[in-house]
Structure formats: C-alpha cells, structure tokens
Amino acid sequence: MSLAESSPELRALIVVDVQPTFCEGGELATEGANEIAHRVAAYAAAHRDRYTTVVTTQDWHIDPGEHFSDTPDFVDSWPPHGVAGSPNAELHPALADLAPDAKLLKGQYSHGYSGFDGADEHGRSLATVLSEAGVTAVDVVGLVQSHCVKHTALDARRAGLHARVLTDLTIPVSPEQGVAAEKELAAAGVDLRDSSAL
C-alpha cells in the first residue's frame, strides 16, 4: 500500500457563487436558485465535520470587458451581474453563519467562470488555499451547475484533485445545459453524486 493510499483523504467544500445576483430577483437569476442557497447552507451546517476546509467564491466584477453587454448572447456575454461592492454580489444571506475558511473573489477584470480564477484577501489562489490545507479532494456546490460550478470542478480535476459535484446542491440555467454539463463533467472524471448518498 502506498503512502497516498494509506493517508486519510482531506476534502474541501467549495461553495461557488451563492449570491443574490444569481437568485430570483437578481440580475442574472436562475429559477430555484434561492432554494439551492438554503440547501447549501443546511448541508454545510450539518456536515462541516466532513471537510478540512470550506471555501466560498463570488463573482466580483469591476470591469470584466466583453463579459458584460447591453445586448448579451448569454453564451459569451451577459447582462451586468455580480457587480463589485453591490449588495447582490455579497454572499447570499442564507450563508450568514457559514464562516468559510477562505473567501475568494473572481472575475474582477475577466469572465472568471472558475473558482480557480479567484483570490482571497491575502492574494492566495484557490489552488494555493487548497494546497496549504493539504486538500486532495473537493466537493463543489452552488450556482450555477452549467457554468461556474462546472468550470470550477473541471479545473479541480486539472489540478489533480478528486472532484465531486453534489447534484442536489446546484442547479443549471436550463435542463438542456444541465445535461450537457453533466456529460462534460463525467467525461473529465468528475463524480456526480447526490449529497444524501455520501
């Protein structure tokens, strides 16, 4: 048995972009997102002991260039959302008691689809935060499955981490985009799992 096989797995929970801007009433809303925010909060509160580290990411756009458009195509360009310093760019109120170990802001001057594009208040990237905590596996949840959750999980795999997307704790923009995202994630070796089956 190798050292890696005998060592306990250190897992992080990555809570992606659970912000009012993506929930009902927000600038780029997905129906059902508020419910996901509350589910994520309840799961994290009940299962904090499963995780070495809990990390949040937030879209925090200052001047993201072509990411914002007055005539968005909803593929490469979007209505303004997650505007830095705005109330809707803050973490969702459901996460008020989460107390994450690190909070990363992303997309200040770019698309910033992946949590790995962000940095915390000390300038640490997500890869650095996870490495310093000795993390070897991640569970990715949040908003939305077909975009930032997907990109974060794919980048986790690229970084050599075991990655799961907890499918009941995320939601796609549309069912069709959800199916496409799940195919892409599965092909990359991301485990798609309902949190109740853990």
Side-chain angles (χ1 to χ4, degrees):
M1 182 179 288
S2 71
L3 178 61
E5 290 171 330
S6 63
S7 299
E9 186 174 67
L10 299 180
R11 185 173 292 275
L13 178 65
I14 304 177
V15 178
V16 175
D17 298 1
V18 179
Q19 302 164 262
T21 197
F22 298 118
C23 296
E24 292 88 338
E27 296 86 351
L28 195 55
T30 293
E31 186 177 350
N34 267 316
E35 181 183 348
I36 293 298
H38 289 280
R39 279 193 209 165
V40 167
Y43 173 83
H47 302 295
R48 185 72 180 240
D49 59 344
R50 292 181 178 176
Y51 299 100
T52 301
T53 301
V54 175
V55 178
T56 58
T57 72
Q58 292 164 254
D59 262 10
W60 199 255
H61 296 308
I62 297 172
D63 182 9
E66 63 184 15
H67 188 63
F68 281 0
S69 174
D70 292 331
T71 56
D73 61 15
F74 295 92
V75 176
D76 298 309
S77 60
W78 309 88
H81 62 276
V83 174
S86 69
N88 278 356
E90 299 296 337
L91 289 175
H92 193 284
L95 301 182
D97 296 327
L98 182 65
D101 298 293
K103 293 173 63 175
L104 286 90
L105 305 179
K106 62 186 181 64
Q108 285 93 329
Y109 301 100
S110 66
H111 292 289
Y113 288 119
S114 170
F116 285 82
D117 297 333
D120 70 3
E121 61 182 327
H122 306 294
R124 297 182 301 166
S125 67
L126 180 53
T128 298
V129 169
L130 299 177
S131 176
E132 288 180 355
V135 165
T136 57
V138 297
D139 286 348
V140 186
V141 302
L143 303 174
V144 288
Q145 180 225 36
S146 48
H147 292 79
C148 295
V149 166
K150 179 188 78 172
H151 285 285
T152 300
L154 291 174
D155 278 352
R157 289 293 297 135
R158 292 186 188 104
L161 300 167
H162 298 289
R164 300 189 299 207
V165 169
L166 305 187
T167 55
D168 57 315
L169 301 178
T170 186
I171 193 170
V173 167
S174 69
E176 296 76 17
Q177 291 187 57
V179 169
E182 290 194 353
K183 287 181 179 177
E184 190 174 350
L185 289 163
V190 176
D191 189 9
L192 303 170
R193 192 81 63 90
D194 190 291
S195 66
S196 66
L198 300 182

CSV table of all heavy atoms in Angstrom, one decimal, residues 10-73:
chain,number,residue,atom,x,y,z
A,10,LEU,N,-8.2,14.3,2.5
A,10,LEU,CA,-8.6,15.6,3.1
A,10,LEU,C,-9.4,16.3,2.0
A,10,LEU,O,-8.9,16.6,0.9
A,10,LEU,CB,-7.3,16.4,3.4
A,10,LEU,CG,-6.4,15.8,4.5
A,10,LEU,CD1,-5.2,16.7,4.7
A,10,LEU,CD2,-7.2,15.6,5.8
A,11,ARG,N,-10.6,16.6,2.4
A,11,ARG,CA,-11.6,17.1,1.4
A,11,ARG,C,-12.0,18.6,1.8
A,11,ARG,O,-12.2,18.9,2.9
A,11,ARG,CB,-12.9,16.2,1.4
A,11,ARG,CG,-13.9,16.5,0.4
A,11,ARG,CD,-15.0,15.5,0.4
A,11,ARG,NE,-14.5,14.2,-0.1
A,11,ARG,CZ,-14.4,13.9,-1.4
A,11,ARG,NH1,-14.8,14.8,-2.3
A,11,ARG,NH2,-13.9,12.7,-1.8
A,12,ALA,N,-12.2,19.3,0.7
A,12,ALA,CA,-12.7,20.7,0.8
A,12,ALA,C,-14.1,20.8,0.2
A,12,ALA,O,-14.5,20.1,-0.7
A,12,ALA,CB,-11.8,21.7,0.1
A,13,LEU,N,-14.9,21.7,0.8
A,13,LEU,CA,-16.2,22.1,0.3
A,13,LEU,C,-16.0,23.4,-0.4
A,13,LEU,O,-15.6,24.4,0.2
A,13,LEU,CB,-17.3,22.1,1.3
A,13,LEU,CG,-18.7,22.6,0.9
A,13,LEU,CD1,-19.3,21.5,-0.1
A,13,LEU,CD2,-19.6,22.8,2.1
A,14,ILE,N,-16.3,23.5,-1.7
A,14,ILE,CA,-16.2,24.7,-2.5
A,14,ILE,C,-17.6,25.2,-2.8
A,14,ILE,O,-18.3,24.5,-3.5
A,14,ILE,CB,-15.4,24.6,-3.8
A,14,ILE,CG1,-14.0,24.0,-3.4
A,14,ILE,CG2,-15.3,25.9,-4.5
A,14,ILE,CD1,-13.1,23.7,-4.7
A,15,VAL,N,-18.0,26.3,-2.2
A,15,VAL,CA,-19.3,26.9,-2.4
A,15,VAL,C,-19.2,28.0,-3.4
A,15,VAL,O,-18.7,29.1,-3.1
A,15,VAL,CB,-19.9,27.4,-1.0
A,15,VAL,CG1,-21.3,28.0,-1.3
A,15,VAL,CG2,-20.0,26.3,0.0
A,16,VAL,N,-19.7,27.7,-4.6
A,16,VAL,CA,-19.5,28.6,-5.8
A,16,VAL,C,-20.6,29.6,-6.0
A,16,VAL,O,-21.8,29.2,-6.2
A,16,VAL,CB,-19.3,27.7,-7.1
A,16,VAL,CG1,-19.2,28.6,-8.3
A,16,VAL,CG2,-18.1,26.8,-6.9
A,17,ASP,N,-20.3,30.9,-5.8
A,17,ASP,CA,-21.1,32.0,-6.3
A,17,ASP,C,-22.6,31.9,-5.8
A,17,ASP,O,-23.5,32.2,-6.5
A,17,ASP,CB,-21.1,32.0,-7.8
A,17,ASP,CG,-19.8,32.3,-8.4
A,17,ASP,OD1,-18.8,32.4,-7.6
A,17,ASP,OD2,-19.7,32.4,-9.6
A,18,VAL,N,-22.8,31.6,-4.5
A,18,VAL,CA,-24.1,31.6,-3.9
A,18,VAL,C,-24.4,33.0,-3.5
A,18,VAL,O,-24.1,33.4,-2.4
A,18,VAL,CB,-24.3,30.6,-2.8
A,18,VAL,CG1,-25.7,30.6,-2.2
A,18,VAL,CG2,-24.0,29.2,-3.3
A,19,GLN,N,-24.9,33.8,-4.5
A,19,GLN,CA,-25.0,35.2,-4.4
A,19,GLN,C,-26.4,35.6,-4.8
A,19,GLN,O,-26.9,35.0,-5.8
A,19,GLN,CB,-24.0,36.0,-5.2
A,19,GLN,CG,-22.5,35.7,-4.9
A,19,GLN,CD,-21.6,36.1,-6.0
A,19,GLN,OE1,-21.2,35.3,-6.8
A,19,GLN,NE2,-21.2,37.4,-5.9
A,20,PRO,N,-27.0,36.7,-4.3
A,20,PRO,CA,-28.4,37.1,-4.7
A,20,PRO,C,-28.4,37.4,-6.2
A,20,PRO,O,-29.5,37.3,-6.8
A,20,PRO,CB,-28.6,38.3,-3.8
A,20,PRO,CG,-27.9,38.0,-2.6
A,20,PRO,CD,-26.6,37.4,-3.1
A,21,THR,N,-27.3,37.9,-6.8
A,21,THR,CA,-27.3,38.3,-8.2
A,21,THR,C,-27.8,37.1,-9.1
A,21,THR,O,-28.3,37.3,-10.2
A,21,THR,CB,-25.9,38.8,-8.6
A,21,THR,OG1,-26.0,39.5,-9.8
A,21,THR,CG2,-24.9,37.7,-8.8
A,22,PHE,N,-27.6,35.8,-8.7
A,22,PHE,CA,-27.9,34.7,-9.5
A,22,PHE,C,-29.3,34.1,-9.0
A,22,PHE,O,-29.7,33.0,-9.6
A,22,PHE,CB,-26.8,33.6,-9.4
A,22,PHE,CG,-25.5,34.1,-10.0
A,22,PHE,CD1,-24.4,34.2,-9.2
A,22,PHE,CD2,-25.4,34.5,-11.3
A,22,PHE,CE1,-23.2,34.6,-9.7
A,22,PHE,CE2,-24.2,35.0,-11.8
A,22,PHE,CZ,-23.1,35.0,-11.0
A,23,CYS,N,-29.9,34.6,-8.0
A,23,CYS,CA,-31.1,34.1,-7.5
A,23,CYS,C,-32.3,34.9,-8.0
A,23,CYS,O,-32.2,36.0,-8.5
A,23,CYS,CB,-31.1,34.1,-5.9
A,23,CYS,SG,-29.8,33.0,-5.3
A,24,GLU,N,-33.5,34.4,-7.7
A,24,GLU,CA,-34.7,35.1,-8.1
A,24,GLU,C,-34.7,36.5,-7.6
A,24,GLU,O,-34.4,36.8,-6.4
A,24,GLU,CB,-36.0,34.4,-7.5
A,24,GLU,CG,-36.2,33.0,-8.1
A,24,GLU,CD,-35.5,31.9,-7.4
A,24,GLU,OE1,-34.5,32.1,-6.8
A,24,GLU,OE2,-36.0,30.7,-7.6
A,25,GLY,N,-35.0,37.5,-8.5
A,25,GLY,CA,-34.9,38.9,-8.2
A,25,GLY,C,-33.5,39.5,-8.5
A,25,GLY,O,-33.4,40.7,-8.4
A,26,GLY,N,-32.5,38.7,-8.8
A,26,GLY,CA,-31.2,39.2,-9.1
A,26,GLY,C,-31.1,39.5,-10.6
A,26,GLY,O,-32.0,39.3,-11.4
A,27,GLU,N,-29.9,40.0,-10.9
A,27,GLU,CA,-29.7,40.5,-12.3
A,27,GLU,C,-29.5,39.4,-13.3
A,27,GLU,O,-29.8,39.5,-14.5
A,27,GLU,CB,-28.4,41.3,-12.3
A,27,GLU,CG,-28.4,42.6,-11.5
A,27,GLU,CD,-28.1,42.4,-10.0
A,27,GLU,OE1,-27.9,41.3,-9.6
A,27,GLU,OE2,-27.9,43.5,-9.4
A,28,LEU,N,-29.1,38.2,-12.8
A,28,LEU,CA,-28.9,37.1,-13.7
A,28,LEU,C,-29.5,35.8,-13.0
A,28,LEU,O,-28.7,34.9,-12.7
A,28,LEU,CB,-27.4,36.9,-14.1
A,28,LEU,CG,-27.0,36.0,-15.2
A,28,LEU,CD1,-27.7,36.4,-16.5
A,28,LEU,CD2,-25.5,36.0,-15.5
A,29,ALA,N,-30.8,35.8,-12.8
A,29,ALA,CA,-31.4,34.8,-12.0
A,29,ALA,C,-31.7,33.5,-12.7
A,29,ALA,O,-31.9,33.4,-13.9
A,29,ALA,CB,-32.8,35.4,-11.5
A,30,THR,N,-31.6,32.4,-11.9
A,30,THR,CA,-32.0,31.1,-12.3
A,30,THR,C,-33.1,30.7,-11.3
A,30,THR,O,-32.9,30.7,-10.1
A,30,THR,CB,-30.8,30.1,-12.2
A,30,THR,OG1,-29.8,30.5,-13.2
A,30,THR,CG2,-31.3,28.7,-12.5
A,31,GLU,N,-34.2,30.2,-11.9
A,31,GLU,CA,-35.3,29.8,-11.1
A,31,GLU,C,-34.9,28.6,-10.2
A,31,GLU,O,-34.3,27.6,-10.7
A,31,GLU,CB,-36.5,29.4,-12.0
A,31,GLU,CG,-37.7,29.1,-11.2
A,31,GLU,CD,-38.9,28.8,-12.1
A,31,GLU,OE1,-38.9,29.0,-13.3
A,31,GLU,OE2,-40.0,28.3,-11.5
A,32,GLY,N,-35.2,28.7,-8.9
A,32,GLY,CA,-34.8,27.7,-8.0
A,32,GLY,C,-33.5,27.9,-7.3
A,32,GLY,O,-33.1,27.2,-6.4
A,33,ALA,N,-32.8,29.0,-7.6
A,33,ALA,CA,-31.5,29.3,-7.0
A,33,ALA,C,-31.6,29.6,-5.5
A,33,ALA,O,-30.7,29.3,-4.7
A,33,ALA,CB,-30.8,30.4,-7.8
A,34,ASN,N,-32.7,30.4,-5.1
A,34,ASN,CA,-32.8,30.7,-3.7
A,34,ASN,C,-32.9,29.4,-2.9
A,34,ASN,O,-32.3,29.3,-1.8
A,34,ASN,CB,-34.0,31.5,-3.5
A,34,ASN,CG,-33.7,33.0,-3.5
A,34,ASN,OD1,-32.7,33.4,-2.9
A,34,ASN,ND2,-34.5,33.8,-4.1
A,35,GLU,N,-33.6,28.4,-3.4
A,35,GLU,CA,-33.8,27.2,-2.7
A,35,GLU,C,-32.4,26.5,-2.6
A,35,GLU,O,-32.1,25.9,-1.5
A,35,GLU,CB,-34.8,26.2,-3.4
A,35,GLU,CG,-35.0,24.9,-2.7
A,35,GLU,CD,-35.9,24.0,-3.4
A,35,GLU,OE1,-36.6,24.4,-4.4
A,35,GLU,OE2,-35.9,22.8,-3.0
A,36,ILE,N,-31.6,26.5,-3.6
A,36,ILE,CA,-30.3,25.9,-3.6
A,36,ILE,C,-29.4,26.6,-2.5
A,36,ILE,O,-28.7,25.9,-1.8
A,36,ILE,CB,-29.6,26.0,-5.0
A,36,ILE,CG1,-30.3,25.1,-6.0
A,36,ILE,CG2,-28.1,25.6,-4.9
A,36,ILE,CD1,-30.4,23.6,-5.7
A,37,ALA,N,-29.5,27.9,-2.4
A,37,ALA,CA,-28.8,28.6,-1.4
A,37,ALA,C,-29.1,28.1,0.0
A,37,ALA,O,-28.2,27.9,0.8
A,37,ALA,CB,-29.1,30.1,-1.5
A,38,HIS,N,-30.4,27.9,0.3
A,38,HIS,CA,-30.8,27.4,1.6
A,38,HIS,C,-30.3,25.9,1.8
A,38,HIS,O,-29.9,25.5,2.9
A,38,HIS,CB,-32.3,27.6,1.8
A,38,HIS,CG,-32.6,29.0,2.0
A,38,HIS,ND1,-32.5,29.7,3.2
A,38,HIS,CD2,-33.1,29.9,1.1
A,38,HIS,CE1,-32.9,30.9,3.1
A,38,HIS,NE2,-33.3,31.1,1.8
A,39,ARG,N,-30.4,25.1,0.7
A,39,ARG,CA,-30.0,23.7,0.8
A,39,ARG,C,-28.5,23.7,1.1
A,39,ARG,O,-28.0,22.8,1.9
A,39,ARG,CB,-30.3,23.0,-0.5
A,39,ARG,CG,-31.7,22.5,-0.6
A,39,ARG,CD,-31.7,21.6,-1.8
A,39,ARG,NE,-33.0,21.6,-2.5
A,39,ARG,CZ,-33.2,21.0,-3.7
A,39,ARG,NH1,-32.2,20.5,-4.4
A,39,ARG,NH2,-34.4,21.1,-4.2
A,40,VAL,N,-27.7,24.5,0.4
A,40,VAL,CA,-26.2,24.5,0.6
A,40,VAL,C,-25.9,24.9,2.1
A,40,VAL,O,-25.1,24.3,2.7
A,40,VAL,CB,-25.6,25.5,-0.4
A,40,VAL,CG1,-24.1,25.8,0.0
A,40,VAL,CG2,-25.6,24.9,-1.8
A,41,ALA,N,-26.6,25.9,2.6
A,41,ALA,CA,-26.4,26.4,4.0
A,41,ALA,C,-26.7,25.2,4.9
A,41,ALA,O,-25.9,25.0,5.9
A,41,ALA,CB,-27.2,27.6,4.3
A,42,ALA,N,-27.8,24.6,4.7
A,42,ALA,CA,-28.2,23.5,5.6
A,42,ALA,C,-27.2,22.3,5.6
A,42,ALA,O,-26.8,21.7,6.6
A,42,ALA,CB,-29.6,23.0,5.3
A,43,TYR,N,-26.8,22.0,4.4
A,43,TYR,CA,-25.8,20.9,4.2
A,43,TYR,C,-24.5,21.2,4.9
A,43,TYR,O,-23.9,20.4,5.6
A,43,TYR,CB,-25.6,20.6,2.7
A,43,TYR,CG,-24.5,19.6,2.5
A,43,TYR,CD1,-24.7,18.3,2.5
A,43,TYR,CD2,-23.2,20.1,2.2
A,43,TYR,CE1,-23.7,17.3,2.3
A,43,TYR,CE2,-22.2,19.2,2.0
A,43,TYR,CZ,-22.4,17.8,2.1
A,43,TYR,OH,-21.4,16.9,1.9
A,44,ALA,N,-24.0,22.4,4.7
A,44,ALA,CA,-22.7,22.8,5.3
A,44,ALA,C,-22.8,22.8,6.8
A,44,ALA,O,-21.9,22.4,7.4
A,44,ALA,CB,-22.3,24.2,4.7
A,45,ALA,N,-23.9,23.3,7.3
A,45,ALA,CA,-24.1,23.3,8.8
A,45,ALA,C,-24.1,21.9,9.4
A,45,ALA,O,-23.5,21.6,10.4
A,45,ALA,CB,-25.3,24.1,9.2
A,46,ALA,N,-24.7,21.0,8.7
A,46,ALA,CA,-24.9,19.6,9.2
A,46,ALA,C,-23.7,18.8,9.0
A,46,ALA,O,-23.4,17.8,9.7
A,46,ALA,CB,-26.1,19.0,8.5
A,47,HIS,N,-22.8,19.1,8.0
A,47,HIS,CA,-21.7,18.2,7.6
A,47,HIS,C,-20.4,18.9,7.6
A,47,HIS,O,-19.4,18.5,6.9
A,47,HIS,CB,-22.0,17.6,6.3
A,47,HIS,CG,-23.3,16.8,6.2
A,47,HIS,ND1,-23.5,15.7,7.0
A,47,HIS,CD2,-24.4,17.0,5.5
A,47,HIS,CE1,-24.7,15.2,6.7
A,47,HIS,NE2,-25.3,16.0,5.9
A,48,ARG,N,-20.2,20.0,8.4
A,48,ARG,CA,-18.9,20.7,8.4
A,48,ARG,C,-17.8,19.8,8.8
A,48,ARG,O,-16.6,19.9,8.3
A,48,ARG,CB,-19.0,21.9,9.4
A,48,ARG,CG,-17.8,22.8,9.5
A,48,ARG,CD,-17.7,23.6,8.2
A,48,ARG,NE,-16.6,24.5,8.2
A,48,ARG,CZ,-16.7,25.9,8.2
A,48,ARG,NH1,-17.8,26.4,8.1
A,48,ARG,NH2,-15.6,26.6,8.1
A,49,ASP,N,-18.1,18.8,9.6
A,49,ASP,CA,-17.0,17.9,10.1
A,49,ASP,C,-16.4,17.0,8.9
A,49,ASP,O,-15.4,16.3,9.1
A,49,ASP,CB,-17.5,17.0,11.2
A,49,ASP,CG,-18.7,16.1,10.8
A,49,ASP,OD1,-19.4,16.4,9.8
A,49,ASP,OD2,-19.0,15.2,11.6
A,50,ARG,N,-17.1,16.9,7.8
A,50,ARG,CA,-16.6,16.2,6.7
A,50,ARG,C,-15.4,16.8,5.9
A,50,ARG,O,-14.8,16.2,5.1
A,50,ARG,CB,-17.7,15.9,5.6
A,50,ARG,CG,-18.8,15.0,6.1
A,50,ARG,CD,-19.9,14.8,5.0
A,50,ARG,NE,-20.9,13.9,5.4
A,50,ARG,CZ,-22.0,13.7,4.7
A,50,ARG,NH1,-22.2,14.3,3.5
A,50,ARG,NH2,-22.9,12.8,5.2
A,51,TYR,N,-15.3,18.1,6.2
A,51,TYR,CA,-14.4,18.9,5.4
A,51,TYR,C,-13.2,19.6,6.2
A,51,TYR,O,-13.4,20.1,7.3
A,51,TYR,CB,-15.2,20.1,4.7
A,51,TYR,CG,-16.2,19.5,3.8
A,51,TYR,CD1,-17.6,19.4,4.2
A,51,TYR,CD2,-15.9,19.0,2.6
A,51,TYR,CE1,-18.5,18.8,3.4
A,51,TYR,CE2,-16.8,18.4,1.7
A,51,TYR,CZ,-18.1,18.3,2.2
A,51,TYR,OH,-19.1,17.7,1.4
A,52,THR,N,-12.0,19.5,5.6
A,52,THR,CA,-10.9,20.1,6.2
A,52,THR,C,-11.0,21.6,6.0
A,52,THR,O,-10.5,22.4,6.9
A,52,THR,CB,-9.6,19.6,5.4
A,52,THR,OG1,-9.5,18.2,5.6
A,52,THR,CG2,-8.3,20.3,6.0
A,53,THR,N,-11.5,22.0,4.9
A,53,THR,CA,-11.6,23.4,4.5
A,53,THR,C,-12.9,23.7,3.8
A,53,THR,O,-13.4,22.9,3.1
A,53,THR,CB,-10.4,23.8,3.6
A,53,THR,OG1,-9.2,23.5,4.2
A,53,THR,CG2,-10.5,25.3,3.2
A,54,VAL,N,-13.5,24.9,4.1
A,54,VAL,CA,-14.7,25.3,3.4
A,54,VAL,C,-14.3,26.7,2.8
A,54,VAL,O,-13.9,27.6,3.4
A,54,VAL,CB,-15.9,25.5,4.4
A,54,VAL,CG1,-17.1,26.1,3.6
A,54,VAL,CG2,-16.3,24.1,5.0
A,55,VAL,N,-14.6,26.8,1.5
A,55,VAL,CA,-14.2,27.9,0.7
A,55,VAL,C,-15.4,28.4,-0.1
A,55,VAL,O,-16.2,27.6,-0.6
A,55,VAL,CB,-13.1,27.6,-0.3
A,55,VAL,CG1,-12.7,28.8,-1.2
A,55,VAL,CG2,-11.9,27.0,0.4
A,56,THR,N,-15.6,29.8,-0.1
A,56,THR,CA,-16.6,30.3,-1.0
A,56,THR,C,-16.0,31.1,-2.1
A,56,THR,O,-14.8,31.6,-2.0
A,56,THR,CB,-17.5,31.3,-0.2
A,56,THR,OG1,-16.7,32.4,0.4
A,56,THR,CG2,-18.3,30.6,0.9
A,57,THR,N,-16.7,31.2,-3.2
A,57,THR,CA,-16.3,32.1,-4.3
A,57,THR,C,-17.4,33.0,-4.6
A,57,THR,O,-18.6,32.7,-4.4
A,57,THR,CB,-15.9,31.3,-5.6
A,57,THR,OG1,-17.1,30.8,-6.2
A,57,THR,CG2,-14.9,30.1,-5.3
A,58,GLN,N,-17.0,34.2,-5.2
A,58,GLN,CA,-18.0,35.2,-5.5
A,58,GLN,C,-17.6,35.9,-6.8
A,58,GLN,O,-16.5,36.3,-7.0
A,58,GLN,CB,-18.1,36.3,-4.5
A,58,GLN,CG,-18.7,35.9,-3.1
A,58,GLN,CD,-18.4,36.9,-2.1
A,58,GLN,OE1,-17.6,36.6,-1.2
A,58,GLN,NE2,-19.1,38.0,-2.1
A,59,ASP,N,-18.6,36.0,-7.8
A,59,ASP,CA,-18.4,36.9,-8.9
A,59,ASP,C,-18.3,38.3,-8.3
A,59,ASP,O,-19.1,38.7,-7.5
A,59,ASP,CB,-19.6,36.8,-9.8
A,59,ASP,CG,-19.3,35.9,-11.0
A,59,ASP,OD1,-18.3,35.2,-11.1
A,59,ASP,OD2,-20.1,35.9,-12.0
A,60,TRP,N,-17.2,39.0,-8.7
A,60,TRP,CA,-16.9,40.3,-8.1
A,60,TRP,C,-16.4,41.2,-9.3
A,60,TRP,O,-15.3,41.6,-9.3
A,60,TRP,CB,-15.9,40.2,-7.0
A,60,TRP,CG,-15.9,41.4,-6.0
A,60,TRP,CD1,-14.9,42.3,-6.0
A,60,TRP,CD2,-16.8,41.7,-5.0
A,60,TRP,NE1,-15.1,43.2,-5.0
A,60,TRP,CE2,-16.3,42.8,-4.3
A,60,TRP,CE3,-17.9,41.1,-4.5
A,60,TRP,CZ2,-17.0,43.4,-3.2
A,60,TRP,CZ3,-18.6,41.6,-3.5
A,60,TRP,CH2,-18.1,42.8,-2.8
A,61,HIS,N,-17.3,41.5,-10.2
A,61,HIS,CA,-16.9,42.2,-11.4
A,61,HIS,C,-16.8,43.7,-11.3
A,61,HIS,O,-17.6,44.4,-10.8
A,61,HIS,CB,-18.0,41.9,-12.5
A,61,HIS,CG,-18.1,40.5,-12.9
A,61,HIS,ND1,-17.0,39.7,-13.3
A,61,HIS,CD2,-19.2,39.6,-13.0
A,61,HIS,CE1,-17.4,38.5,-13.6
A,61,HIS,NE2,-18.8,38.4,-13.4
A,62,ILE,N,-15.6,44.1,-11.7
A,62,ILE,CA,-15.3,45.6,-11.7
A,62,ILE,C,-15.4,46.1,-13.2
A,62,ILE,O,-16.2,46.9,-13.5
A,62,ILE,CB,-13.9,45.8,-11.1
A,62,ILE,CG1,-13.9,45.4,-9.6
A,62,ILE,CG2,-13.5,47.3,-11.3
A,62,ILE,CD1,-12.5,45.5,-9.0
A,63,ASP,N,-14.5,45.5,-14.0
A,63,ASP,CA,-14.6,45.8,-15.4
A,63,ASP,C,-14.2,44.6,-16.2
A,63,ASP,O,-13.1,44.4,-16.7
A,63,ASP,CB,-13.6,47.0,-15.8
A,63,ASP,CG,-13.7,47.4,-17.2
A,63,ASP,OD1,-14.6,46.9,-18.0
A,63,ASP,OD2,-12.8,48.2,-17.7
A,64,PRO,N,-15.2,43.7,-16.4
A,64,PRO,CA,-14.9,42.4,-17.0
A,64,PRO,C,-14.9,42.4,-18.5
A,64,PRO,O,-15.0,41.3,-19.1
A,64,PRO,CB,-15.9,41.5,-16.4
A,64,PRO,CG,-17.1,42.3,-16.2
A,64,PRO,CD,-16.6,43.7,-15.8
A,65,GLY,N,-14.9,43.5,-19.1
A,65,GLY,CA,-14.8,43.6,-20.6
A,65,GLY,C,-16.0,43.1,-21.2
A,65,GLY,O,-17.1,43.3,-20.9
A,66,GLU,N,-15.7,42.2,-22.2
A,66,GLU,CA,-16.8,41.7,-23.1
A,66,GLU,C,-17.8,40.7,-22.3
A,66,GLU,O,-18.8,40.3,-22.9
A,66,GLU,CB,-16.2,40.9,-24.3
A,66,GLU,CG,-15.4,39.7,-23.9
A,66,GLU,CD,-14.7,39.0,-25.1
A,66,GLU,OE1,-14.7,39.6,-26.1
A,66,GLU,OE2,-14.3,37.9,-24.9
A,67,HIS,N,-17.4,40.4,-21.1
A,67,HIS,CA,-18.3,39.5,-20.3
A,67,HIS,C,-19.7,40.2,-20.0
A,67,HIS,O,-20.7,39.6,-19.9
A,67,HIS,CB,-17.6,39.2,-18.9
A,67,HIS,CG,-18.3,38.2,-18.1
A,67,HIS,ND1,-18.5,36.9,-18.5
A,67,HIS,CD2,-18.9,38.3,-16.9
A,67,HIS,CE1,-19.2,36.3,-17.5
A,67,HIS,NE2,-19.4,37.1,-16.5
A,68,PHE,N,-19.6,41.6,-20.0
A,68,PHE,CA,-20.9,42.4,-19.8
A,68,PHE,C,-21.3,42.9,-21.2
A,68,PHE,O,-20.4,43.4,-21.9
A,68,PHE,CB,-20.6,43.5,-18.9
A,68,PHE,CG,-20.7,43.2,-17.4
A,68,PHE,CD1,-20.9,41.9,-16.9
A,68,PHE,CD2,-20.5,44.2,-16.4
A,68,PHE,CE1,-20.9,41.6,-15.6
A,68,PHE,CE2,-20.5,43.9,-15.1
A,68,PHE,CZ,-20.7,42.6,-14.6
A,69,SER,N,-22.6,42.9,-21.4
A,69,SER,CA,-23.1,43.5,-22.7
A,69,SER,C,-24.5,44.0,-22.5
A,69,SER,O,-25.3,43.4,-21.7
A,69,SER,CB,-23.0,42.5,-23.8
A,69,SER,OG,-23.6,43.0,-24.9
A,70,ASP,N,-24.8,45.1,-23.2
A,70,ASP,CA,-26.2,45.6,-23.2
A,70,ASP,C,-27.0,44.8,-24.1
A,70,ASP,O,-28.3,44.8,-24.1
A,70,ASP,CB,-26.2,47.1,-23.7
A,70,ASP,CG,-25.6,48.0,-22.7
A,70,ASP,OD1,-25.6,47.7,-21.5
A,70,ASP,OD2,-25.0,49.0,-23.1
A,71,THR,N,-26.4,44.0,-25.0
A,71,THR,CA,-27.1,43.1,-25.9
A,71,THR,C,-26.4,41.7,-25.8
A,71,THR,O,-25.8,41.2,-26.7
A,71,THR,CB,-27.0,43.5,-27.4
A,71,THR,OG1,-25.6,43.7,-27.7
A,71,THR,CG2,-27.8,44.8,-27.5
A,72,PRO,N,-26.6,41.1,-24.6
A,72,PRO,CA,-25.9,39.8,-24.3
A,72,PRO,C,-26.4,38.6,-25.2
A,72,PRO,O,-27.6,38.6,-25.6
A,72,PRO,CB,-26.2,39.6,-22.9
A,72,PRO,CG,-27.5,40.2,-22.6
A,72,PRO,CD,-27.5,41.5,-23.5
A,73,ASP,N,-25.5,37.7,-25.5
A,73,ASP,CA,-25.8,36.5,-26.2
A,73,ASP,C,-26.1,35.3,-25.2
A,73,ASP,O,-26.5,34.2,-25.7
A,73,ASP,CB,-24.8,36.1,-27.3
A,73,ASP,CG,-23.4,35.8,-26.7
A,73,ASP,OD1,-23.3,35.6,-25.5
A,73,ASP,OD2,-22.5,35.8,-27.5
